[in-house]
DNA sequence: GTGAAAGCGCTAACAT
DNA sequence: ATGTTAGCGCTTTCAC
């Protein structure tokens, strides 16, 4: 293995000079710098990550707890992770995917100094990890917005606002009875932060506008279509729907088209809703943007820069026409909707 | 921060004794061991990962390159990763999710001694990373089975066998013209290893049995149903179908049911095909098992144990009846099909 | 502008 | 059965 001493020797300088050339933490003559860099290239020197982190007390690694369990919208999770990864790479950081998704996993990673910071996904409204994070001196960001989490930095999509926006839109279009077909029962039962907030926003706006809104769990499968049947059987007056379930979306939309007289709004990543016919407007979940924003916030924390304790990405209503235009020419459509 | 010296002092022993108590690498009297363990608990001591890895020359971290790009079956990727994570945790390893998915990313992780081993997903038939891995002394396992990859350890599902099994099954059921609706065009164009092998197995068996088989790329959306229309328009004699595309599956199956006279076989994770009605038999992709098997192989390599250079998980045909029974009572059905 | 050397916290010889 | 100590490869004072 090539060490910094090998580089120093080859360049005819001291070890510390090599270190300073790499870090740029002190002025180096151009000549020396050139020789050192030549030696680094020639030897294909790669600093030993552990040695560096032991000496510098930082790892350039972010710990990430991501939900690999079932029930979650797999697409959304993947895109969030992709956003995290992209932003991390831009800062020369790597991602440690923590293998245990509880509070102990966070303590372990932080306690063993494996990471500089922690990113926690899929936070539940009352999550035991929140307490653990608060005790830790390791900076952290939650992707989600739990009840007692206000002491921590939280980044997420504004699900409450999205629920309200959807309800208002349906009201605007003349519907007086509306329903939210949401996550599967297991996710609702777990009181996943986003599901709770979406429901709150949706029902709140319904109440505010004096329309009747209802919420229904929805399985991740074709049976979702049957849920729609049941919902309509129970209340045939329902004409406006909001679907927040990636795997159910196409099935429910298809069934709604068969039935007729229904307006279906989707809440999903743009690339998912774009492929589903029969939708009216849709609200985009900027999944990759969430991952990016959360990671940005983490770096701000790490840099000691001021960061808002809560950042919610705003919901945007996209009309079906724009969605189609989007697919044809992304740039124009983006400019238009801006 | 609590260090090993703090523990040693509190327990009244030397630091090496503490180290040996933790590693179990030499005999320690029960009394000493008790005192050390008490001190560790009392101080909540966590060994510094970098210090340990610098001294021991191993990190207890596996580097993973996972495809976060589009086109792949997101479910399958997530389940494979879940399998990797589970198996890694069982061995006290963590996962470093590499943020660049090229050969340089592998060189960087290995060169900087960030990982003890590498796991590479989504390998293409002719992948530049194969050469990079071969140069590296870091052990690695590919999830996939590329052309020139035989020098490396490869673990995957036997897609070629699955293609053949599917074709044979369709032949058995009397079909003489069969079609494979597979991955989206972008995946086929990339010559992703699994797509290539599936096609080879499917068409090979067709030829062997003297039936006419064809292969069609399939978009990840409802338009998949239209692909089916086109395929049948081009050759109305086709009566047997194999679908290998998670997001297209439900749509194609639904359209096939409308059309009638078709037999649809699915190749997908069990929990996906289970939710789709109208399927005949299905072949399960044991996604989590792939991740597990690959990680097992990696640990065998790490331990210097002999490992087969190629391990392919065998395809199993599951009849629709068992799928349904499965959902009702997993244990019984498992026993039955065993 | 550069070098020497003292750690960072641990493991694993080499002691006894 | 336990202790002493020399590194592991780097960063960062201090010194010039």
């Amino acid at each position: 293995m090539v060490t910094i001493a090998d580089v120093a020797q080859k360049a005819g300088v001291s070890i510390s000079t090599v270190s300073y050339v790499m870090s740029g933490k002190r002025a180096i003559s151009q000549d020396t710098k050139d020789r050192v860099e030549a030696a680094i290239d020639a030897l294909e020197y790669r600093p030993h990550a552990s040695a560096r982190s032991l000496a510098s007390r930082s790892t350039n690694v972010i710990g990430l707890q991501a939900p690999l369990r079932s029930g979650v919208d797999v697409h959304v999770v993947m895109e969030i992770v992709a956003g995290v990864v992209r932003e991390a790479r831009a800062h020369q950081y790597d991602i440690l995917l923590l293998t245990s998704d509880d509070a102990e996993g966070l303590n372990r990673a932080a306690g063993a100094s494996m990471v500089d910071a922690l990113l926690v996904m899929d936070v539940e409204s009352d999550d035991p990890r929140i307490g653990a994070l608060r005790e830790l001196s390791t900076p952290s960001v939650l992707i989600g917005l739990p009840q007692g989490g206000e002491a921590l930095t939280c980044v997420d999509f504004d699900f409450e606002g999205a629920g309200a926006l959807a309800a208002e839109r349906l009201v605007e279009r003349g519907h007086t009875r509306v329903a939210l077909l949401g996550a599967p029962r297991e996710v609702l039962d777990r009181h996943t932060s986003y599901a709770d907030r979406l429901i709150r926003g949706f029902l709140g706006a319904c109440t505010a506008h004096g329309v009747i809104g209802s919420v229904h769990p929805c399985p991740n499968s074709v049976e979702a279509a049957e849920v729609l049947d049941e919902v309509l059987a129970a209340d045939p007056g329902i004409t406006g729907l909001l679907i927040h379930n990636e795997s159910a979306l196409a099935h429910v939309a298809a069934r709604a088209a068969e039935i007729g007289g229904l307006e279906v709004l989707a809440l999903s990543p743009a690339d998912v809703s774009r492929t589903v016919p029969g939708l009216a407007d849709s609200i985009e979940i900027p999944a990759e943007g969430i991952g990016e924003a959360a990671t940005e916030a983490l770096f701000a924390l790490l840099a000691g820069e001021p960061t808002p304790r809560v950042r919610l990405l705003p919901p945007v209503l996209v009309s079906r026409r724009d969605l189609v235009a989007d697919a044809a020419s992304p740039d124009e459509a983006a400019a238009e909707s801006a």
Side-chain angles (χ1 to χ4, degrees), chain A:
Chain A
M1 141 169 256
V2 179
T3 73
I4 195 172
D6 300 326
V7 175
Q9 185 173 22
K10 172 136 191 166
V13 298
S14 74
I15 286 179
S16 60
T17 296
V18 176
S19 176
Y20 283 119
V21 166
M22 301 197 72
S23 69
K25 287 189 180 171
R26 80 177 175 194
I28 303 279
S29 72
Q30 189 58 48
D31 175 60
T32 307
K33 185 186 276 183
D34 290 346
R35 272 166 32 235
V36 169
E37 278 166 355
I40 287 175
D41 288 349
L43 299 176
E44 299 190 40
Y45 168 61
R46 318 233 179 209
H48 190 290
S50 297
R52 173 175 272 181
S53 95
L54 179 57
S56 69
R57 314 174 138 272
S58 84
T59 60
N60 270 44
V61 171
I62 291 172
L64 172 68
Q65 274 189 339
L68 299 171
R69 37 180 151 179
S70 64
V72 295
D73 274 359
V74 171
H75 245 100
V76 175
V77 171
M78 283 268 287
E79 284 187 27
I80 292 178
V81 172
V84 170
V85 162
R86 232 161 44 90
E87 188 67 18
R89 168 171 33 197
H91 291 257
Q92 331 266 42
Y93 267 67
D94 282 286
I95 300 296
L96 190 72
L97 191 60
L98 302 186
T99 50
S100 59
D101 55 359
D102 51 11
E104 178 52 21
L106 298 173
N107 288 333
R108 210 179 61 87
S113 303
M114 309 178 79
V115 301
D116 291 347
L118 291 164
L119 214 43
V120 175
M121 292 181 63
D122 196 44
V123 184
E124 298 171 20
S125 282
D126 178 27
D127 200 302
R129 294 175 295 178
I130 295 168
L133 287 174
R134 214 186 278 110
E135 302 287 286
L136 252 31
S137 62
T138 307
S140 59
V141 167
L142 301 183
I143 297 183
L145 184 56
Q147 302 282 328
E150 288 81 7
L152 298 165
T153 301
C154 298
V155 173
D156 203 352
F157 176 62
D158 184 2
F159 280 94
E160 185 164 356
L165 180 60
E168 281 156 14
R169 175 63 171 179
L170 289 172
V171 168
E172 223 171 67
R173 306 278 259 132
H175 303 280
T176 56
R177 300 214 166 169
V178 297
L180 162 58
L181 302 199
R185 185 174 301 279
E186 54 192 297
V187 172
L188 294 187
D189 285 352
R190 211 161 65 208
H191 284 283
T192 302
S193 151
Y194 64 80
D196 279 4
R197 287 179 286 134
L198 178 65
I199 293 172
R200 196 186 315 144
F202 185 76
L203 294 182
C206 287
T207 305
H209 289 82
V211 309
I212 299 176
S214 58
V215 176
H216 313 270
C218 207
N220 282 339
S221 67
V222 270
E223 275 107 54
E226 289 154 30
V227 169
L228 175 55
D229 295 339
E230 290 161 20
V231 167
L232 293 176
D235 183 352
I238 290 176
T239 53
L241 296 173
L242 171 63
I243 320 288
H244 173 228
N245 182 318
E246 182 187 302
S247 357
L249 181 55
H251 303 125
V252 174
R255 176 62 55 92
E258 284 172 35
I259 297 173
L262 296 171
E263 179 158 5
V264 179
L265 225 67
L267 176 60
S268 82
D271 54 344
V272 172
S273 50
R274 182 175 294 142
T275 64
V276 176
L279 296 181
D281 302 334
S282 111
I283 298 176
E284 179 182 354
I285 299 178
E288 188 156 355
I290 297 169
E292 248 179 72
T295 312
E296 268 170 21
L298 205 50
F299 283 122
L301 241 40
L302 237 21
E305 293 163 11
T307 323
R309 272 217 317 284
V310 173
R311 176 167 172 205
L312 296 179
L313 306 195
V316 178
L317 196 68
V318 183
S319 85
R320 182 69 193 160
R321 189 180 48 74
D322 289 347
L323 270 180
V324 174
D326 241 29
S329 60
D331 293 338
E332 274 177 44
E336 217 175 278
S337 67

